[in-house]
Amino acid sequence: MKAQLEKARRSAKKNAPILLTGETGSGKDIVVQGIHNESERFTKPRLLH
């Protein structure tokens, strides 16, 4: 899990779309919020698709 979180942190610094998949209840929303918080887009609204 630590490796995945570090990968998400590094991805947050890039200006590229990120697709996060996983089972219901696996905590994707928490990871997405963390990526958003670490990104340069933190001051902008998060897009939901």
Side-chain angles (χ1 to χ4, degrees), residues 6-7 18:
E6 182 56 36
K7 185 184 254 186
I18 298 171

Side-chain angles (χ1 to χ4, degrees), residues 1 4-5 8 18-37 46-49:
M1 183 58 125
Q4 295 302 322
L5 291 175
I18 298 171
L19 175 63
L20 188 64
T21 62
E23 295 181 20
T24 302
S26 61
K28 296 181 299 288
D29 55 333
I30 296 169
V31 175
V32 168
Q33 187 64 52
I35 291 170
H36 177 73
N37 291 349
R46 192 175 99 203
L47 297 176
L48 301 175
H49 295 272

